[in-house]
Amino acid sequence: MQAEIEKLFDDKPQTYTEDHFRLFQDFKAALNAGTIRAAEPDAGTGSGWRVNGWVKKGILLGFRMGGVVDMSLDSTRQPFFDKATYPAKAFSSSSGVRIVPGGSSIRDGCFVGKGVTCMPPMYINAGSYVGDGTMVDSHALVGSCAQVGRNCHISAASQIGGVLEPVGALPVIIEDDVLIGGNCGVYEGTVVKRRAVLGTGTILNRSTPVYDLVRNTVHRATDDEPLVIPEQAVVVAGSRAIASGPGKAWGISLYTPVIVKYRDEKTDTKIQLEDLLR
């Protein structure tokens, strides 16, 4: 399948045949099943993950192939006009996914595991992966190609940004057992390692270093590697004073995320409350 997808993506035909659409349907079925992913674990890389560029090409191919069609249940009260290749994802009771009514949407071409809870309104985009037992809370977004592990909690109004283009760029990675507090934002291929905790309002991206008060170091993205939040780190929104120029004279501080501790038994006890919400 990989070679066929890459060839079709590179050839850019003027028209698409029935065989092309069958290939894309098989590709999308594999995305839905989680047997192919936009990124996957790789112990040989600095971040522990590698991007599958051909999968991202296949997702982009779907946007090329599909025309905009009317998929509205009611064109007045609930209009729905989108690419024919990306309708809403189909679920049944056997899927084991809890989707509470009230304006949520999950696009076709993504994996949503058993025991996932979707609180309205929330959105999961094509190409993403959401592992078993994860909670996606109200007003939360899981962006295209984002990879979210098992038993995570994506709290209300948090944004897990995806990275679809360029195809070689690693998407946002949230590993297993991570707690994302309310109104957080994780962007630009950041990797949050397992059992980390992001406090309310924490923003992570390639541009903002993370100051580790426990290990006396600074975590940064480089030209070759994304920002990586260590396992079990507890990150909160902080500030850093400007040290020179008018900013210093005016007493201005800039936002910066800060690791204030690493998870311990007290942290785990507090997080047990999240299990009661599933």
Side-chain angles (χ1 to χ4, degrees):
M1 182 184 292
Q2 177 177 349
E4 293 173 287
I5 288 288
E6 291 192 305
K7 184 177 187 306
L8 185 57
F9 181 86
D10 293 336
D11 287 349
K12 299 179 181 178
Q14 294 296 312
T15 59
Y16 293 97
T17 67
E18 290 185 6
D19 286 341
H20 294 153
F21 280 100
R22 276 194 292 269
L23 172 64
F24 179 71
Q25 287 301 120
D26 290 344
F27 168 80
K28 195 167 59 171
L31 280 177
N32 283 323
T35 54
I36 61 172
R37 301 172 61 171
E40 60 186 282
D42 185 345
T45 66
S47 66
W49 289 78
R50 64 178 171 85
V51 64
N52 290 323
W54 77 271
V55 175
K56 295 172 79 174
K57 286 181 179 180
I59 296 166
L60 288 167
L61 185 61
F63 288 103
R64 286 187 196 167
M65 294 174 68
V68 175
V69 297
D70 185 352
M71 292 184 274
S72 306
L73 296 177
D74 184 308
S75 58
T76 300
R77 291 183 295 178
Q78 193 176 9
F80 179 12
F81 298 89
D82 202 354
K83 294 283 188 171
T85 44
Y86 286 109
K89 183 177 172 73
F91 290 94
S92 68
S93 58
S94 63
S95 302
V97 176
R98 179 182 168 208
I99 305 174
V100 180
S104 296
S105 184
I106 302 173
R107 214 172 195 178
D108 203 17
C110 68
F111 174 79
V112 182
K114 299 281 188 182
V116 169
T117 299
C118 303
M119 298 301 292
M122 48 66 65
Y123 184 68
I124 299 175
N125 207 348
S128 56
Y129 183 105
V130 180
D132 296 353
T134 284
M135 163 81 80
V136 184
D137 215 334
S138 301
H139 297 282
L141 164 72
V142 179
S144 180
C145 297
Q147 307 289 296
V148 179
R150 300 185 187 92
N151 301 317
C152 295
H153 189 118
I154 312 300
S155 296
S158 288
Q159 308 288 294
I160 309 302
V163 178
L164 183 52
E165 294 184 281
V167 294
L170 190 72
V172 171
I173 308 291
I174 309 294
E175 293 191 350
D176 296 347
D177 301 302
V178 169
L179 174 62
I180 308 288
N183 288 287
C184 288
V186 186
Y187 307 110
E188 298 174 346
T190 295
V191 177
V192 181
K193 305 297 280 185
R194 61 181 296 274
R195 302 190 77 245
V197 178
L198 304 188
T200 300
T202 300
I203 307 296
L204 302 174
N205 57 41
R206 292 187 65 86
S207 304
T208 307
V210 178
Y211 290 80
D212 191 332
L213 302 183
V214 180
R215 297 178 178 174
N216 191 28
T217 190
V218 181
H219 305 278
R220 304 176 186 268
T222 67
D223 290 342
D224 301 318
E225 294 292 340
L227 172 65
V228 177
I229 302 301
E231 289 190 10
Q232 305 195 82
V234 179
V235 190
V236 300
S239 62
R240 183 167 180 256
I242 294 177
S244 61
K248 179 180 179 180
W250 295 336
I252 294 175
S253 295
L254 300 177
Y255 164 77
T256 188
V258 180
I259 297 175
V260 293
K261 64 182 291 186
Y262 283 77
R263 282 178 70 165
D264 55 23
E265 291 182 1
K266 289 183 179 179
T267 314
D268 289 340
T269 298
K270 292 178 181 178
I271 290 173
Q272 284 173 7
L273 175 62
E274 305 305 326
D275 293 334
L276 302 177
L277 300 175
R278 296 186 189 280

